[in-house]
Amino acid sequence: MNNKNNKSFYITTTLPYVNSKPHIGFAVEITRADVVARHKRLCGYNVFFNTGTDEHGQKIFQKAQEEKKEVQQFVDEKVLGFTKLCEKLNIKYDRFIRTTDTDHVLSAQKFWKKCDENGFIYKKNYRGLYCVGCEMFLTEKDLVNGRCPYHPDKVPEEIEEENYFFKYSAFTEKLLEIYKNKKDFVIPQSRLKEISNFAAGGLEDFSISRIKEKMPWGIPVPGDDQHVMYVWFDALVNYISTLGWPDNLENFKKFWENGTPVQYCGKDNLQFQSARWQAMLLSVGLPSSDKIIINGFITSNGQKMSKSLGNVIDPLEIIDEYGTDALRYYLIRELNSFEDSDFTIEKFKESYNANLANGLGNLVSRVMKMSEDNLSKEDTVFEENIDFANQLPPEYKKAFDSYDLQKAVDYIWTIIGETDKKIQTEKPFSLIKTDPDTAKSMIKKYIETVYFIAKMLEPILPETAEKIKKSIQENKKPSEPLFSRK
């Protein structure tokens, strides 16, 4: 859309590893980021939405070896599952970055050089525990019963080698200052408190390289072909390499320096996004992110999803049976915006029938049937180029501004419920026989409400919103239900 105010907004997800099929957690993250990006576009912002895949590291290297494939071939095949999910979920990103992309590789190497020139990289012998699941070195205080808390099924490997290290400890005070001065730097507040307490305990320098002979699949360290970059140091740079840093500074300044860079991630990424990455940015003289939004985990019947338990939910299968917007709805409204949530097919189906088929679908069908029977097309024409940002209800706007997308959708469904009750109370379908003018006036107001419901749904259920607006424009009840009962 043409932007008259030149406000810039940047949003990115984390990059999932391509060692396995995309799971429901990634579907949640990209859908939430997509909803925010669409909302900002409707409000007149220039938006850059970044997502993609993380394609380096030990577990990808090991998985390729297991499948007896060249690693590049392996990642080229696996990435297709992630781009397909984005397509199926109707995700409108501006860049799908892969950490094997040439421009990213060059950007990561330039970032390393700058960090090194500024005195924040050094080399030393190191011995420690490494979790392949997290691709992360762990200290004793990170362990729970001797295991990684996020991968208790994997025994951390003991590694001893000479690595390059990043002077993380040099940024303790600067990070604490950010957390103190910017109260919404990490959302929700509980996660800001968590990372503040973590940093206050003192930050330890961390390894940022692996010996190439032992783990060859990574970006070469500039000036030392015996080492490759530690996967997280490489991957985190994607948030600015996707904007063209350091070669396309015009685009970088527009969206990072002069925009509002917002990052979505899961709670297991809290330290990486809100501390390590921020320290890395400071090390090369770049401004910090604007906000880090933390998602909870998705469980099934209270248990972690796993193939062995047979409770893994495939987002593509749900889309194939129920449709794109049905899954988008559930991910945004039925899952908590920030905390852990439970997802079962039974809960999904119950919500689908109650809120989409019987709720939204029934209201639109009912109102449009009355309109088709009693109003002309001229009565249902609406000016599409409304000033969306300034017509938003305060509750809806506040929910989006605080990234509580669940509340935004709750607000829409409150209006749906109230409109249904209003129709039942006013009974225009009976009044039309005795007082047609009053009944028609009522129906027009219902149409206006349904139209604005569609406008508020545009970022959340874009396909459904378009169907509703088309139905209003044609003054016809939808030829097929928006959501068929299952």
Side-chain angles (χ1 to χ4, degrees):
M1 76 186 283
N2 291 327
N3 191 307
K4 296 178 181 179
N5 55 26
N6 293 318
K7 295 182 293 185
S8 295
F9 179 81
Y10 172 66
I11 189 163
T12 179
T13 68
T14 50
L15 305 188
Y17 291 115
V18 294
N19 59 309
S20 58
K21 292 199 306 182
H23 53 69
I24 202 73
F26 179 58
V28 171
E29 196 170 310
I30 54 171
T31 303
R32 287 176 177 170
D34 181 69
V35 168
V36 172
R38 287 173 182 268
H39 173 77
K40 288 293 185 181
R41 291 187 194 109
L42 284 170
C43 290
Y45 284 78
N46 286 310
V47 173
F48 194 102
F49 171 21
N50 176 63
T51 190
T53 46
D54 188 349
E55 301 178 16
H56 292 125
Q58 189 169 339
K59 61 179 164 184
I60 289 173
F61 178 69
Q62 289 177 347
K63 195 70 176 177
Q65 286 186 315
E66 287 174 18
E67 295 190 14
K68 295 180 170 54
K69 292 178 179 176
E70 292 293 327
V71 193
Q72 189 63 55
Q73 177 196 354
F74 173 81
V75 296
D76 287 346
E77 291 173 359
K78 291 295 183 182
V79 75
L80 298 176
F82 293 84
T83 54
K84 181 180 180 182
L85 179 60
C86 286
E87 181 183 348
K88 287 276 195 174
L89 275 169
N90 197 6
I91 305 299
K92 299 300 181 188
Y93 51 76
D94 294 279
R95 169 84 187 267
F96 187 98
I97 191 169
R98 300 175 57 185
T99 56
T100 53
D101 287 344
T102 301
D103 63 330
H104 170 74
V105 171
L106 294 174
S107 181
Q109 290 177 321
K110 289 174 182 177
F111 190 97
W112 178 291
K113 287 180 181 177
K114 183 73 172 173
C115 183
D116 190 23
E117 288 168 4
N118 289 347
F120 295 110
I121 293 178
Y122 64 96
K123 204 174 189 182
K124 74 169 185 177
N125 287 315
Y126 180 72
R127 182 178 182 178
L129 297 174
Y130 190 80
C131 174
V132 176
C134 291
E135 296 279 13
M136 177 180 176
F137 282 99
L138 304 173
T139 63
E140 289 298 328
K141 68 179 180 181
D142 296 321
L143 303 178
V144 176
N145 297 321
R147 302 287 181 96
C148 169
Y150 299 116
H151 298 92
D153 57 325
K154 293 180 172 65
V155 179
E157 297 179 13
E158 190 167 320
I159 292 175
E160 184 173 4
E161 61 186 39
E162 186 179 49
N163 290 166
Y164 285 95
F165 274 71
F166 173 68
K167 289 185 181 178
Y168 195 25
S169 57
F171 298 96
T172 302
E173 295 305 319
K174 289 182 180 178
L175 290 178
L176 287 172
E177 190 177 337
I178 291 173
Y179 305 149
K180 180 182 178 181
N181 295 336
K182 197 163 188 180
K183 301 300 183 184
D184 61 349
F185 180 68
V186 178
I187 299 174
Q189 277 290 306
S190 59
R191 299 299 176 197
L192 177 61
K193 185 177 180 180
E194 183 181 337
I195 196 62
S196 297
N197 290 339
F198 173 82
L203 302 176
E204 297 180 15
D205 298 351
F206 60 87
S207 169
I208 56 172
S209 76
R210 298 296 309 276
I211 293 177
K212 188 174 183 180
E213 184 181 357
K214 294 182 180 179
M215 212 298 292
W217 186 243
I219 297 177
V221 167
D224 188 343
D225 59 9
Q226 301 301 310
H227 285 254
V228 296
M229 289 187 199
Y230 166 56
V231 60
W232 276 97
F233 194 89
D234 139 32
L236 290 168
V237 178
N238 95 86
Y239 303 130
I240 58 174
S241 68
T242 193
L243 296 173
W245 184 91
D247 299 318
N248 184 354
L249 288 181
E250 181 181 354
N251 199 52
F252 173 73
K253 287 178 180 178
K254 177 180 179 180
F255 289 105
W256 191 277
E257 292 189 351
N258 301 324
T260 51
V262 172
Q263 299 177 216
Y264 259 102
C265 71
K267 66 181 185 181
D268 55 336
N269 270 304
L270 174 65
Q271 186 200 152
F272 286 101
Q273 310 301 327
S274 59
R276 290 195 178 194
W277 171 231
Q278 306 311 316
M280 287 167 61
L281 286 165
L282 290 169
S283 76
V284 295
L286 295 177
S288 67
S289 306
D290 187 67
K291 289 180 181 64
I292 314 291
I293 318 299
I294 310 295
N295 293 321
F297 287 161
I298 311 302
T299 58
S300 184
N301 280 322
Q303 294 180 303
K304 184 178 179 180
M305 291 187 192
S306 72
K307 291 178 183 177
S308 61
L309 291 174
N311 63 355
V312 173
I313 292 172
D314 186 338
L316 292 174
E317 289 180 2
I318 294 177
I319 292 170
D320 288 342
E321 183 173 353
Y322 292 89
T324 296
D325 278 2
L327 181 56
R328 286 177 67 104
Y329 166 83
Y330 194 87
L331 299 181
I332 299 301
R333 189 184 184 202
E334 301 296 350
L335 303 183
N336 189 287
S337 296
F338 311 114
E339 303 301 335
D340 293 357
S341 300
D342 206 61
F343 190 141
T344 65
I345 294 300
E346 292 76 21
K347 288 178 182 177
F348 177 88
K349 186 174 179 179
E350 181 183 351
S351 174
Y352 171 90
N353 285 324
N355 299 311
L356 293 178
N358 293 348
L360 175 63
N362 183 61
L363 175 66
V364 173
S365 177
R366 192 179 190 188
V367 169
M368 290 315 303
K369 176 61 176 169
M370 289 190 290
S371 180
E372 185 178 350
D373 291 345
N374 300 290
L375 302 180
S376 67
K377 275 189 179 182
E378 288 72 25
D379 292 322
T380 61
V381 172
F382 292 91
E383 177 59 48
E384 180 63 23
N385 295 320
I386 63 172
D387 188 356
F388 182 75
N390 289 324
Q391 293 195 21
L392 293 176
E395 299 93 331
Y396 178 90
K397 186 177 186 301
K398 182 180 178 182
F400 263 100
D401 288 347
S402 60
Y403 296 88
D404 196 341
L405 307 186
Q406 186 181 42
K407 274 191 179 178
V409 189
D410 281 346
Y411 176 78
I412 298 171
W413 254 259
T414 298
I415 295 176
I416 290 170
E418 289 173 349
T419 307
D420 258 330
K421 288 179 183 176
K422 196 171 185 181
I423 293 171
Q424 284 299 103
T425 302
E426 295 180 342
K427 294 182 169 55
F429 38 82
S430 300
L431 193 62
I432 197 77
K433 301 170 185 175
T434 57
D435 189 353
D437 289 342
T438 300
K440 287 180 181 180
S441 178
M442 289 176 180
I443 296 169
K444 282 183 183 180
K445 288 181 179 177
Y446 304 150
I447 291 284
E448 288 177 8
T449 301
V450 169
Y451 176 79
F452 202 64
I453 286 171
K455 288 300 294 180
M456 288 191 291
L457 282 174
E458 276 188 43
I460 303 147
L461 310 181
E463 292 178 357
T464 303
E466 286 306 308
K467 288 177 183 177
I468 295 171
K469 288 193 294 182
K470 182 181 179 184
S471 181
I472 293 172
Q473 185 181 26
E474 296 176 350
N475 194 31
K476 287 184 178 180
K477 174 185 172 182
S479 56
E480 295 180 355
L482 292 178
F483 299 95
S484 300
R485 280 191 60 85
K486 298 288 186 179

